[in-house]
Amino acid sequence: NSPEAQYESLTQISQMTRSVTIVDGECEQYLQHFERRSNMAKKRDAIVLCINAGVGSAIVSLKHLGMKVAKVIHVESDRVAQHVIRSHHDYCYGEIDDDDQIEHIIGLYNTIGDIAEDPEKIVRKYGPIDMIICNSPQGKSREEDASYAVDFFDIVKDIERLNAELHHFDNLFYLFECSASIKNSLPLQGLSYCFCEPTKLYVCNWPISSQKANLLRHKTDAESLELQNGHVLDSVQKLYASLLKALVAGFDHSKWRDTIHCKYWPFLSMGPQGYDVKLKKGEFGPEAFLLSLRNPENSHVLSDTNYSNYLLERSSSMKILPILLEPMRKLFNEKNYGSPYNVIVSPRQEILPTATLEHGGIMSRNSPNSKNNDVASDTDDDSSVVKTEVKDEETSTDDEAKLFDIVERSFSR
């Protein structure tokens, strides 16, 4: 490369370095917990509480990382977002072929207030909780963001206490995504935090400085884990089509209950406050109608494409979450969830399955060719689970981060 090209490249690296700020807390709990679990012959399957879950960015991230999850409590108020999560992850919903063997709790808790109302019931029934992943709502005022943060950290304290009281469990980890404008309102002492997007602050209680190079790399990576619109749009379009089919039932002398699956019936109960149907000019019959659902925040009517974009905008970034969650995968059992997950386990590691099908596919517990297709049990015999090997690249992210720091200092002189 010419000197000019090298200079331009180094300038871009320097600018990216300044756009990422990471501060590591003491994280004593993580270090003690990591030391204990790294010496254990058998680790836990994670039980995760996802608050303001959106379209499921957190569970997608955990699957990409190959972290074995036992239960996920999805706290989400938007019915369409719940539908997207269930369509991609809940085997009982009937939209996917393979059971991920995760217990998905969806629709029981819609807001952070539902959790705060009776945290003991949740921890007693589903706990102990290993991890809380929370995304602060978008588009709120600074005062509302600060109030939400207070509610979140109150819930953290409650669940830590209840984990210990009810399950003799003292290891709770959490990741909180919020507006960068409320940094001074947060109890950051002893915690790690990261500014890697202009308006976003990520706070967690485990060390993340080792991920600096990966956070920088994601800005220029051609291959990204970001949720594609099709991941959401396909599920939303299917929902719209099913609801419209029920709403125009009668043109062919059919009954709406016979036209769609019962899982869509609750959406019809929204009534005119939840959806809007218009007739195309000059057309007649079922194809002449257009369906729009109302945005629950402002009652604006949205097409399937616009609703899909709205859900993506209010969900956590899939470019950031897997990177920040990567240190946690060492504390839990591994699981290869197969395509489309585990395609990129993390920006610097890959899972190499030792058992494969004849045509190169991964032999999972849910594969039709698998010898064991039953529900996962918490026994010491994991012989039926695909064993994986983790291969580290020779260059560590610590060394890469130091290189970026050297470049930054050279430009600041």
Side-chain angles (χ1 to χ4, degrees):
N1 293 335
S2 66
E4 292 79 8
Q6 293 179 4
Y7 179 81
E8 183 179 354
S9 177
L10 289 173
T11 301
Q12 292 175 351
I13 293 174
S14 178
Q15 291 173 346
M16 288 190 298
T17 304
R18 280 191 284 269
S19 69
V20 174
T21 301
I22 298 177
V23 176
D24 262 355
E26 297 174 358
C27 303
E28 294 182 0
Q29 185 180 18
Y30 172 85
L31 297 175
Q32 294 172 0
H33 188 51
F34 175 72
E35 184 177 359
R36 289 200 302 267
R37 288 208 179 178
S38 61
N39 296 324
M40 292 172 59
K42 183 174 177 63
K43 300 177 183 178
R44 278 176 58 82
D45 300 346
I47 299 177
V48 184
L49 172 62
C50 292
I51 303 177
N52 200 25
V55 293
S57 299
I59 184 59
V60 172
S61 299
L62 296 175
K63 286 185 174 182
H64 273 304
L65 289 170
M67 184 185 299
K68 191 173 182 182
V69 179
K71 304 174 188 175
V72 183
I73 303 120
H74 302 272
V75 181
E76 174 55 53
S77 59
D78 191 287
R79 291 187 181 186
V80 183
Q82 293 178 8
H83 164 74
V84 173
I85 294 174
R86 299 192 70 179
S87 295
H88 289 280
H89 304 285
D90 187 356
Y91 179 72
C92 297
Y93 204 56
E95 299 290 330
I96 53 177
D97 295 329
D98 293 333
D99 186 356
D100 61 11
Q101 299 177 355
I102 299 174
E103 181 182 353
H104 294 276
I105 297 95
I106 307 176
L108 293 181
Y109 306 98
N110 296 327
T111 66
I112 195 170
D114 295 339
I115 302 294
E117 185 175 334
D118 192 0
E120 180 175 347
K121 180 179 179 181
I122 298 171
V123 178
R124 185 181 297 276
K125 185 173 183 180
Y126 302 111
I129 306 297
D130 291 281
M131 190 187 313
I132 305 175
I133 302 173
C134 179
N135 173 29
S136 182
Q138 309 294 312
K140 303 297 183 181
S141 67
R142 183 174 179 179
E143 291 73 20
E144 289 173 317
D145 286 338
S147 176
Y148 191 92
V150 170
D151 293 339
F152 171 76
F153 283 101
D154 284 345
I155 285 176
V156 168
K157 292 177 183 177
D158 287 338
I159 292 182
E160 282 181 327
R161 173 179 56 82
L162 292 166
N163 269 350
E165 292 178 0
L166 301 176
H167 302 283
H168 307 288
F169 188 83
D170 61 352
N171 301 300
L172 176 66
F173 299 98
Y174 51 89
L175 173 62
F176 182 49
E177 175 185 340
C178 63
S179 170
S181 65
I182 64 169
K183 173 182 177 292
N184 294 333
S185 303
L186 301 177
L188 296 178
Q189 185 175 2
L191 300 179
S192 301
Y193 58 91
C194 170
F195 295 96
C196 43
E197 292 180 342
T199 61
K200 289 289 185 180
L201 173 65
Y202 296 84
V203 182
C204 61
N205 62 339
W206 61 82
I208 54 176
S209 60
S210 62
Q211 299 302 104
K212 183 175 183 180
N214 292 330
L215 289 168
L216 292 169
R217 189 184 297 115
H218 94 271
K219 294 177 178 291
T220 55
D221 256 351
E223 189 171 18
S224 170
L225 289 178
E226 189 67 85
L227 285 176
Q228 300 301 314
N229 193 24
H231 178 93
V232 179
L233 182 58
D234 292 346
S235 300
V236 174
Q237 285 179 333
K238 188 170 184 178
L239 172 64
Y240 270 59
S242 298
L243 294 182
L244 183 59
K245 187 176 181 181
L247 290 170
V248 300
F251 279 89
D252 57 356
H253 305 290
S254 62
K255 296 180 179 180
W256 69 266
R257 292 190 178 187
D258 299 329
T259 60
I260 62 171
H261 194 279
C262 59
K263 66 186 178 186
Y264 297 118
W265 291 2
F267 291 94
L268 295 172
S269 67
M270 295 187 298
Q273 294 182 344
Y275 53 78
D276 181 69
V277 180
K278 292 184 178 180
L279 183 66
K280 299 178 185 177
K281 292 183 179 181
E283 296 189 26
F284 185 76
E287 297 78 13
F289 292 90
L290 291 175
L291 173 68
S292 299
L293 296 186
R294 296 189 184 276
N295 184 325
E297 296 182 354
N298 53 31
S299 297
H300 293 168
V301 292
L302 300 175
S303 66
D304 49 12
T305 301
N306 290 337
Y307 211 116
S308 175
N309 291 331
Y310 158 73
L311 292 178
L312 283 169
E313 289 172 0
R314 65 186 293 271
S315 298
S316 296
S317 171
M318 271 294 300
K319 292 182 179 179
I320 305 296
L321 277 188
I323 299 175
L324 295 180
L325 289 169
E326 197 276 338
M328 296 304 298
R329 62 190 294 262
K330 304 171 186 177
L331 303 183
F332 299 95
N333 286 322
E334 295 178 1
K335 180 179 175 67
N336 195 318
Y337 291 93
S339 180
Y341 310 106
N342 292 129
V343 176
I344 306 175
V345 174
S346 77
R348 65 185 179 92
Q349 293 181 331
E350 61 179 346
I351 285 186
L352 303 176
T354 58
T356 57
L357 300 178
E358 292 181 1
H359 301 290
I362 297 171
M363 175 72 81
S364 70
R365 292 172 63 96
N366 301 308
S367 168
N369 295 325
S370 176
K371 296 180 180 180
N372 191 343
N373 199 33
D374 58 352
V375 178
S377 59
D378 190 19
T379 63
D380 291 334
D381 184 11
D382 289 337
S383 58
S384 59
V385 181
V386 175
K387 300 300 181 182
T388 59
E389 299 175 359
V390 178
K391 179 180 179 181
D392 291 327
E393 291 184 358
E394 294 180 1
T395 304
S396 69
T397 56
D398 290 338
D399 293 335
E400 293 172 352
K402 290 177 181 177
L403 291 176
F404 283 113
D405 291 337
I406 293 171
V407 173
E408 183 181 24
R409 287 196 296 270
S410 69
F411 280 101
S412 62
R413 291 172 182 172

